[in-house]
Amino acid sequence: MARNYAERGIDLLHTPLTVFGEGSDVPMEFPLVQAVAALLVRLGLSADVAMRLVGLVSFQAAALLLFALALRWHGRRVAVIAVVLLEFSPFTMLWGAASLIEFPTVALALAMVLGLDHWFAGGRWWWLAAGAVSGALAFLVKVTTMPAFMLLLAGSGAAVIFQQGLRQSWRRVLVGGAAAVVPGLALAAVWTVYADHIKAGNPATAFLTSSALRDWNFGTLEQRLDITSYATIMQRITDEIVGPHALTLFAGLAAVALGLTLADRIRGLAWVGAVIVTPLLFFNLYVRHSYYLCAIVPAVAMLAALGLDGVARLARDRTHQAIVAGVATLFVLANSAISPLGRNDIKEWRTEPPPPEAASVLAAHTDPGSKIILIGCDWSPVLPYFSHRDAVMFRRADGREYWEHAGDVTDYGWLYACKDADPRPYLPPGAAATPSGQPSLWRVTHAG
């Protein structure tokens, strides 16, 4: 979408996803990140590099913000361990510079928590403003990321109340919490209603409305009762982030339970809640997509850091504690790197997969600007993206419902079948398909 914005103009109220046909508007999350990347494309970067650069800068910003928050809450050693785990785990090596909106949202959400933590504790008004604006943008860009950070915000406010007393701090906590959450939730709700209205108006995208995606987002009861679903999520966390058998997480839970002060325990419980609640809420998303862990990876790294710091404190002096912490952290990273999922992450990070052969066929044998009908290719945008062609994809038995609402269809001059299929049910009315001489590629001609 960043490339579409760069080539056709940025309009944040419209989300052109041409896999659903020419002129399609398919708003999902608010496209702020894609618009920023489009500006970089206009400066000469490729769309891939621009999105990856935005993702990488956002990831590094998130690491700095996590360090600052950990420093305030848990001290320097915990902050250093958490950032090292965040920077060098196989999971974040793979996803830290991916063309995704996950870490821009995480960075905004951490800025919200850090800013309002300062405000709760008596900081100046600009901390409130920074936290509120960051929170509103984070909710708008990707609302499914936010439950984890709402728990961190609640933990921050509760800890300040117990430290300073309810009478002295309740107004700041109430004002700060409301300023961050209420506008953000309102903006996300308005955007969702608007997006659903647009998608419901197109037969090809009606299945992407919020109501239609309820089971996809939250999971089914059957799925939630299946122990293998939980094992899938847990294996990703252990293999790719915190090391084998979740030992660091168990150590982190012990460190939280044995916290020196009530405020320490409250903040620790906030990290625990952030790790647990968000995957339980959006259960199917976390089972289906490993990258959804981006939303909770700061909390996972922090909980592991608390555990490793707790182990280091068993040493007799600060020098030995630092040595134990360093060795234990390297041990966790090494074990993650040699785990099955960790090895796969590093392999993917080191070797960029080539574009699919079908994209090369489309780019070589169709004219620039050609519009293509794709059948049996799922909803993946990979073929249109790498071939630089607009396309409409069909997964259903035929394309009749789409063509009835499509308007002028004569620009669709090609059809590509990812799986063997009769092309006729997918053609516009009055169109015919003839083999092009290339496997799976058909030339489409229109009557008249």
Side-chain angles (χ1 to χ4, degrees), residues 297-317:
V297 69
V300 172
M302 185 61 67
L303 190 56
L306 289 171
L308 293 172
D309 179 68
V311 172
R313 287 178 182 273
L314 299 176
R316 65 176 181 268
D317 56 45

Side-chain angles (χ1 to χ4, degrees), residues 199-210:
K199 288 180 287 191
N202 183 344
T205 60
F207 77 102
L208 292 173
T209 60
S210 300

Side-chain angles (χ1 to χ4, degrees), residues 66 68-75 78 113-114 116-122 148-164 173 252-253 255-257 259-275 298-299 302-303 306:
L66 182 66
L69 186 61
L71 194 62
R72 284 178 60 81
W73 285 9
H74 307 295
V78 173
V113 176
L114 181 62
L116 290 169
D117 186 66
H118 277 278
W119 165 257
F120 292 159
F149 297 93
M150 292 172 69
L151 287 170
L152 294 180
L153 192 62
S156 169
V160 168
I161 287 173
F162 279 104
Q163 285 178 318
Q164 299 184 359
V173 172
L253 291 173
V256 170
L260 297 178
T261 67
L262 180 58
D264 289 335
R265 293 193 290 274
I266 289 171
R267 289 166 178 148
L269 286 172
W271 294 115
V272 174
V275 172
M302 185 61 67
L303 190 56
L306 289 171

Side-chain angles (χ1 to χ4, degrees), residues 189-216:
V190 169
W191 176 257
T192 300
V193 171
Y194 167 77
D196 282 349
H197 173 74
I198 298 296
K199 288 180 287 191
N202 183 344
T205 60
F207 77 102
L208 292 173
T209 60
S210 300
S211 58
L213 291 175
R214 186 174 292 112
D215 285 348
W216 177 258

Side-chain angles (χ1 to χ4, degrees), residues 56-413:
L56 178 60
V57 170
S58 299
F59 172 65
Q60 297 303 329
L64 291 174
L65 291 163
L66 182 66
F67 181 86
L69 186 61
L71 194 62
R72 284 178 60 81
W73 285 9
H74 307 295
R76 183 176 298 275
R77 186 164 60 225
V78 173
V80 170
I81 296 171
V83 169
V84 170
L85 291 176
L86 185 70
E87 289 279 1
F88 298 108
S89 72
F91 177 84
T92 50
M93 290 176 68
L94 175 62
W95 296 110
S99 301
L100 297 172
I101 63 174
E102 315 306 310
F103 280 114
T105 311
V106 168
L108 288 168
L110 282 169
M112 174 192 76
V113 176
L114 181 62
L116 290 169
D117 186 66
H118 277 278
W119 165 257
F120 292 159
R124 302 295 293 273
W125 65 268
W126 54 74
W127 289 112
L128 173 64
V133 171
S134 298
L137 291 175
F139 273 102
L140 197 54
V141 171
K142 190 155 191 176
V143 70
T144 55
T145 297
M146 295 309 292
F149 297 93
M150 292 172 69
L151 287 170
L152 294 180
L153 192 62
S156 169
V160 168
I161 287 173
F162 279 104
Q163 285 178 318
Q164 299 184 359
L166 180 62
R167 179 175 297 181
Q168 182 175 345
S169 58
W170 74 269
R171 290 183 180 85
R172 277 183 171 265
V173 172
L174 181 63
V175 169
V181 174
V182 173
L185 284 175
L187 286 170
V190 169
W191 176 257
T192 300
V193 171
Y194 167 77
D196 282 349
H197 173 74
I198 298 296
K199 288 180 287 191
N202 183 344
T205 60
F207 77 102
L208 292 173
T209 60
S210 300
S211 58
L213 291 175
R214 186 174 292 112
D215 285 348
W216 177 258
N217 290 330
F218 300 107
T220 62
L221 178 60
E222 180 183 7
Q223 187 182 42
R224 289 174 178 270
L225 295 176
D226 183 1
I227 192 65
T228 60
S229 297
Y230 298 89
T232 296
I233 298 172
M234 197 62 193
Q235 185 183 10
R236 290 171 183 160
I237 291 174
T238 54
D239 274 19
E240 300 179 68
I241 305 171
V242 299
H245 312 303
L247 295 178
T248 52
L249 296 185
F250 289 120
L253 291 173
V256 170
L258 299 173
L260 297 178
T261 67
L262 180 58
D264 289 335
R265 293 193 290 274
I266 289 171
R267 289 166 178 148
L269 286 172
W271 294 115
V272 174
V275 172
I276 295 173
V277 170
T278 310
L280 289 179
L281 181 59
F282 300 108
F283 192 65
N284 183 62
L285 296 176
Y286 279 80
V287 173
R288 297 278 186 172
H289 302 300
S290 63
Y291 69 85
Y292 261 80
L293 289 176
C294 293
I296 64 169
V297 69
V300 172
M302 185 61 67
L303 190 56
L306 289 171
L308 293 172
D309 179 68
V311 172
R313 287 178 182 273
L314 299 176
R316 65 176 181 268
D317 56 45
R318 288 189 176 183
T319 300
H320 286 87
Q321 288 174 0
I323 293 172
V324 170
V327 171
T329 302
L330 291 175
F331 177 79
V332 168
L333 291 172
N335 275 275
S336 294
I338 63 176
S339 69
L341 295 181
R343 288 199 307 270
N344 187 64
D345 285 350
I346 293 173
K347 180 181 178 181
E348 287 191 44
W349 172 66
R350 292 178 58 190
T351 58
E352 183 74 20
E357 183 180 352
S360 301
V361 171
L362 292 174
H365 297 281
T366 65
D367 297 326
S370 296
K371 295 180 173 59
I372 300 167
I373 302 165
L374 297 173
I375 60 176
C377 304
D378 209 340
W379 294 116
S380 171
V382 170
L383 294 187
Y385 179 79
F386 283 109
S387 63
H388 210 148
R389 303 289 188 267
D390 288 348
V392 58
M393 292 183 168
F394 294 117
R395 294 177 66 191
R396 299 176 182 174
D398 59 62
R400 286 177 296 181
E401 185 179 11
Y402 174 79
W403 298 122
E404 289 174 0
H405 301 84
D408 184 13
V409 298
T410 57
D411 287 343
Y412 288 92

